[in-house]
PDB file of all heavy atoms in Angstrom:
ATOM      1  N   PRO A  26      93.968 101.828  99.383  1.00 90.00           N
ATOM      2  CA  PRO A  26      94.615 103.084  98.973  1.00 90.00           C
ATOM      3  C   PRO A  26      95.288 103.808 100.135  1.00 90.00           C
ATOM      4  O   PRO A  26      96.373 104.379  99.964  1.00 90.00           O
ATOM      5  CB  PRO A  26      93.457 103.912  98.406  1.00 90.00           C
ATOM      6  CG  PRO A  26      92.424 102.914  98.018  1.00 90.00           C
ATOM      7  CD  PRO A  26      92.553 101.807  99.016  1.00 90.00           C
ATOM      8  N   SER A  38     114.812 113.942 105.555  1.00 49.00           N
ATOM      9  CA  SER A  38     116.250 114.182 105.735  1.00 49.00           C
ATOM     10  C   SER A  38     116.458 114.976 107.015  1.00 49.00           C
ATOM     11  O   SER A  38     116.607 116.191 106.990  1.00 49.00           O
ATOM     12  CB  SER A  38     116.825 114.933 104.529  1.00 49.00           C
ATOM     13  OG  SER A  38     118.204 115.190 104.697  1.00 49.00           O
ATOM     14  N   ARG A  46     105.448 115.528  98.996  1.00 98.00           N
ATOM     15  CA  ARG A  46     104.837 114.740  97.921  1.00 98.00           C
ATOM     16  C   ARG A  46     104.095 115.694  96.988  1.00 98.00           C
ATOM     17  O   ARG A  46     103.537 116.693  97.418  1.00 98.00           O
ATOM     18  CB  ARG A  46     103.877 113.734  98.549  1.00 98.00           C
ATOM     19  CG  ARG A  46     102.798 113.208  97.660  1.00 98.00           C
ATOM     20  CD  ARG A  46     101.782 112.385  98.458  1.00 98.00           C
ATOM     21  NE  ARG A  46     102.321 111.078  98.817  1.00 98.00           N
ATOM     22  CZ  ARG A  46     101.761 110.268  99.700  1.00 98.00           C
ATOM     23  NH1 ARG A  46     100.659 110.640 100.347  1.00 98.00           N
ATOM     24  NH2 ARG A  46     102.301 109.082  99.958  1.00 98.00           N
ATOM     25  N   ARG A  62      92.419 123.818  82.807  1.00 86.00           N
ATOM     26  CA  ARG A  62      92.214 123.221  84.124  1.00 86.00           C
ATOM     27  C   ARG A  62      92.672 121.767  84.130  1.00 86.00           C
ATOM     28  O   ARG A  62      92.438 121.044  83.169  1.00 86.00           O
ATOM     29  CB  ARG A  62      90.727 123.274  84.520  1.00 86.00           C
ATOM     30  CG  ARG A  62      90.160 124.656  84.657  1.00 86.00           C
ATOM     31  CD  ARG A  62      88.675 124.628  84.988  1.00 86.00           C
ATOM     32  NE  ARG A  62      88.423 123.937  86.252  1.00 86.00           N
ATOM     33  CZ  ARG A  62      87.821 122.757  86.367  1.00 86.00           C
ATOM     34  NH1 ARG A  62      87.398 122.110  85.281  1.00 86.00           N
ATOM     35  NH2 ARG A  62      87.631 122.198  87.551  1.00 86.00           N
ATOM     36  N   LEU A  77      91.934 111.668  99.109  1.00 95.00           N
ATOM     37  CA  LEU A  77      92.722 110.853 100.033  1.00 95.00           C
ATOM     38  C   LEU A  77      94.083 111.478 100.311  1.00 95.00           C
ATOM     39  O   LEU A  77      94.525 111.550 101.464  1.00 95.00           O
ATOM     40  CB  LEU A  77      92.903 109.441  99.474  1.00 95.00           C
ATOM     41  CG  LEU A  77      93.896 108.547 100.228  1.00 95.00           C
ATOM     42  CD1 LEU A  77      93.447 108.311 101.665  1.00 95.00           C
ATOM     43  CD2 LEU A  77      94.119 107.232  99.501  1.00 95.00           C
ATOM     44  N   ASP A  83      99.478 117.038 106.155  1.00 96.00           N
ATOM     45  CA  ASP A  83      99.318 118.072 107.180  1.00 96.00           C
ATOM     46  C   ASP A  83      99.031 119.431 106.552  1.00 96.00           C
ATOM     47  O   ASP A  83      98.312 120.246 107.124  1.00 96.00           O
ATOM     48  CB  ASP A  83     100.587 118.182 108.030  1.00 96.00           C
ATOM     49  CG  ASP A  83     100.892 116.913 108.799  1.00 96.00           C
ATOM     50  OD1 ASP A  83      99.944 116.227 109.216  1.00 96.00           O
ATOM     51  OD2 ASP A  83     102.093 116.607 108.960  1.00 96.00           O
ATOM     52  N   ALA A  84      99.630 119.681 105.395  1.00 96.00           N
ATOM     53  CA  ALA A  84      99.448 120.957 104.705  1.00 96.00           C
ATOM     54  C   ALA A  84      99.539 120.732 103.206  1.00 96.00           C
ATOM     55  O   ALA A  84     100.304 119.886 102.744  1.00 96.00           O
ATOM     56  CB  ALA A  84     100.493 121.981 105.153  1.00 96.00           C
ATOM     57  N   ALA A  89      98.906 130.436  93.609  1.00 94.00           N
ATOM     58  CA  ALA A  89      97.716 131.284  93.529  1.00 94.00           C
ATOM     59  C   ALA A  89      97.026 131.153  92.178  1.00 94.00           C
ATOM     60  O   ALA A  89      95.794 131.214  92.093  1.00 94.00           O
ATOM     61  CB  ALA A  89      98.105 132.740  93.790  1.00 94.00           C
ATOM     62  N   ALA A 115      90.537 118.222 111.286  1.00 90.00           N
ATOM     63  CA  ALA A 115      89.728 117.485 110.307  1.00 90.00           C
ATOM     64  C   ALA A 115      90.211 117.673 108.880  1.00 90.00           C
ATOM     65  O   ALA A 115      89.966 116.826 108.016  1.00 90.00           O
ATOM     66  CB  ALA A 115      88.264 117.897 110.418  1.00 90.00           C
ATOM     67  N   ALA A 118      95.916 122.201 106.426  1.00 95.00           N
ATOM     68  CA  ALA A 118      96.035 123.634 106.144  1.00 95.00           C
ATOM     69  C   ALA A 118      96.349 123.826 104.663  1.00 95.00           C
ATOM     70  O   ALA A 118      97.051 123.012 104.058  1.00 95.00           O
ATOM     71  CB  ALA A 118      97.137 124.250 107.001  1.00 95.00           C
ATOM     72  N   ALA A 142      92.707 124.793 110.892  1.00 91.00           N
ATOM     73  CA  ALA A 142      93.413 124.527 109.633  1.00 91.00           C
ATOM     74  C   ALA A 142      93.365 125.799 108.783  1.00 91.00           C
ATOM     75  O   ALA A 142      92.718 125.844 107.737  1.00 91.00           O
ATOM     76  CB  ALA A 142      92.794 123.350 108.894  1.00 91.00           C
ATOM     77  N   VAL A 166     100.451 134.608 107.346  1.00 96.00           N
ATOM     78  CA  VAL A 166     101.398 134.905 106.275  1.00 96.00           C
ATOM     79  C   VAL A 166     102.784 134.410 106.687  1.00 96.00           C
ATOM     80  O   VAL A 166     103.243 134.670 107.797  1.00 96.00           O
ATOM     81  CB  VAL A 166     101.440 136.415 105.960  1.00 96.00           C
ATOM     82  CG1 VAL A 166     102.524 136.709 104.921  1.00 96.00           C
ATOM     83  CG2 VAL A 166     100.078 136.889 105.452  1.00 96.00           C
ATOM     84  N   LEU A 183     107.481 125.720 107.550  1.00 96.00           N
ATOM     85  CA  LEU A 183     106.284 124.905 107.707  1.00 96.00           C
ATOM     86  C   LEU A 183     106.547 123.728 108.644  1.00 96.00           C
ATOM     87  O   LEU A 183     105.691 123.363 109.460  1.00 96.00           O
ATOM     88  CB  LEU A 183     105.813 124.405 106.341  1.00 96.00           C
ATOM     89  CG  LEU A 183     105.270 125.474 105.390  1.00 96.00           C
ATOM     90  CD1 LEU A 183     104.991 124.877 104.009  1.00 96.00           C
ATOM     91  CD2 LEU A 183     104.005 126.116 105.947  1.00 96.00           C
ATOM     92  N   GLY A 187     104.934 122.282 112.624  1.00 93.00           N
ATOM     93  CA  GLY A 187     104.438 120.937 112.864  1.00 93.00           C
ATOM     94  C   GLY A 187     103.917 120.227 111.633  1.00 93.00           C
ATOM     95  O   GLY A 187     103.341 119.137 111.742  1.00 93.00           O
ATOM     96  N   ASP A 207     115.372 120.817  94.798  1.00 93.00           N
ATOM     97  CA  ASP A 207     115.700 119.469  95.276  1.00 93.00           C
ATOM     98  C   ASP A 207     114.904 119.106  96.527  1.00 93.00           C
ATOM     99  O   ASP A 207     115.429 118.502  97.465  1.00 93.00           O
ATOM    100  CB  ASP A 207     117.200 119.350  95.548  1.00 93.00           C
ATOM    101  CG  ASP A 207     117.655 117.885  95.661  1.00 93.00           C
ATOM    102  OD1 ASP A 207     117.008 117.023  95.032  1.00 93.00           O
ATOM    103  OD2 ASP A 207     118.626 117.627  96.392  1.00 93.00           O
ATOM    104  N   LEU A 208     113.605 119.462  96.523  1.00 95.00           N
ATOM    105  CA  LEU A 208     112.752 119.200  97.674  1.00 95.00           C
ATOM    106  C   LEU A 208     111.718 118.115  97.413  1.00 95.00           C
ATOM    107  O   LEU A 208     111.033 117.687  98.341  1.00 95.00           O
ATOM    108  CB  LEU A 208     112.012 120.487  98.076  1.00 95.00           C
ATOM    109  CG  LEU A 208     112.870 121.627  98.605  1.00 95.00           C
ATOM    110  CD1 LEU A 208     112.028 122.885  98.735  1.00 95.00           C
ATOM    111  CD2 LEU A 208     113.492 121.263  99.950  1.00 95.00           C
ATOM    112  N   LEU A 229     105.732 119.752  85.084  1.00 95.00           N
ATOM    113  CA  LEU A 229     106.723 120.733  85.518  1.00 95.00           C
ATOM    114  C   LEU A 229     106.884 121.744  84.389  1.00 95.00           C
ATOM    115  O   LEU A 229     107.138 121.366  83.243  1.00 95.00           O
ATOM    116  CB  LEU A 229     108.081 120.087  85.811  1.00 95.00           C
ATOM    117  CG  LEU A 229     108.350 119.639  87.261  1.00 95.00           C
ATOM    118  CD1 LEU A 229     107.461 118.468  87.616  1.00 95.00           C
ATOM    119  CD2 LEU A 229     109.816 119.298  87.451  1.00 95.00           C
ATOM    120  N   PRO A 235     119.220 121.639  86.793  1.00 85.00           N
ATOM    121  CA  PRO A 235     120.671 121.505  86.593  1.00 85.00           C
ATOM    122  C   PRO A 235     121.069 120.121  86.093  1.00 85.00           C
ATOM    123  O   PRO A 235     121.994 119.977  85.297  1.00 85.00           O
ATOM    124  CB  PRO A 235     121.236 121.780  87.987  1.00 85.00           C
ATOM    125  CG  PRO A 235     120.196 122.619  88.660  1.00 85.00           C
ATOM    126  CD  PRO A 235     118.884 122.159  88.122  1.00 85.00           C
ATOM    127  N   LEU A 240     114.182 109.178  89.519  1.00 95.00           N
ATOM    128  CA  LEU A 240     113.070 108.697  90.317  1.00 95.00           C
ATOM    129  C   LEU A 240     112.994 107.173  90.223  1.00 95.00           C
ATOM    130  O   LEU A 240     113.426 106.581  89.235  1.00 95.00           O
ATOM    131  CB  LEU A 240     111.748 109.296  89.831  1.00 95.00           C
ATOM    132  CG  LEU A 240     111.631 110.819  89.844  1.00 95.00           C
ATOM    133  CD1 LEU A 240     110.327 111.260  89.187  1.00 95.00           C
ATOM    134  CD2 LEU A 240     111.716 111.355  91.275  1.00 95.00           C
ATOM    135  N   ASP A 249      88.885 100.941  86.511  1.00 88.00           N
ATOM    136  CA  ASP A 249      88.023 100.456  85.433  1.00 88.00           C
ATOM    137  C   ASP A 249      87.910 101.433  84.273  1.00 88.00           C
ATOM    138  O   ASP A 249      87.394 101.078  83.211  1.00 88.00           O
ATOM    139  CB  ASP A 249      86.620 100.154  85.977  1.00 88.00           C
ATOM    140  CG  ASP A 249      86.608  98.974  86.938  1.00 88.00           C
ATOM    141  OD1 ASP A 249      87.557  98.166  86.874  1.00 88.00           O
ATOM    142  OD2 ASP A 249      85.672  98.880  87.748  1.00 88.00           O
ATOM    143  N   ARG A 261     118.062 107.691  95.966  1.00 74.00           N
ATOM    144  CA  ARG A 261     119.006 108.249  96.920  1.00 74.00           C
ATOM    145  C   ARG A 261     120.365 107.572  96.768  1.00 74.00           C
ATOM    146  O   ARG A 261     120.456 106.452  96.365  1.00 74.00           O
ATOM    147  CB  ARG A 261     118.490 108.048  98.348  1.00 74.00           C
ATOM    148  CG  ARG A 261     117.139 108.752  98.545  1.00 74.00           C
ATOM    149  CD  ARG A 261     116.800 108.853 100.027  1.00 74.00           C
ATOM    150  NE  ARG A 261     115.532 109.514 100.217  1.00 74.00           N
ATOM    151  CZ  ARG A 261     115.352 110.825 100.148  1.00 74.00           C
ATOM    152  NH1 ARG A 261     116.380 111.611  99.917  1.00 74.00           N
ATOM    153  NH2 ARG A 261     114.153 111.361 100.314  1.00 74.00           N
TER     154      ARG A 261
END
Side-chain angles (χ1 to χ4, degrees):
S38 179
R46 158 189 285 167
R62 297 177 60 249
L77 171 62
D83 297 326
V166 175
L183 292 173
D207 196 28
L208 294 171
L229 268 68
L240 301 174
D249 293 339
R261 300 194 180 282

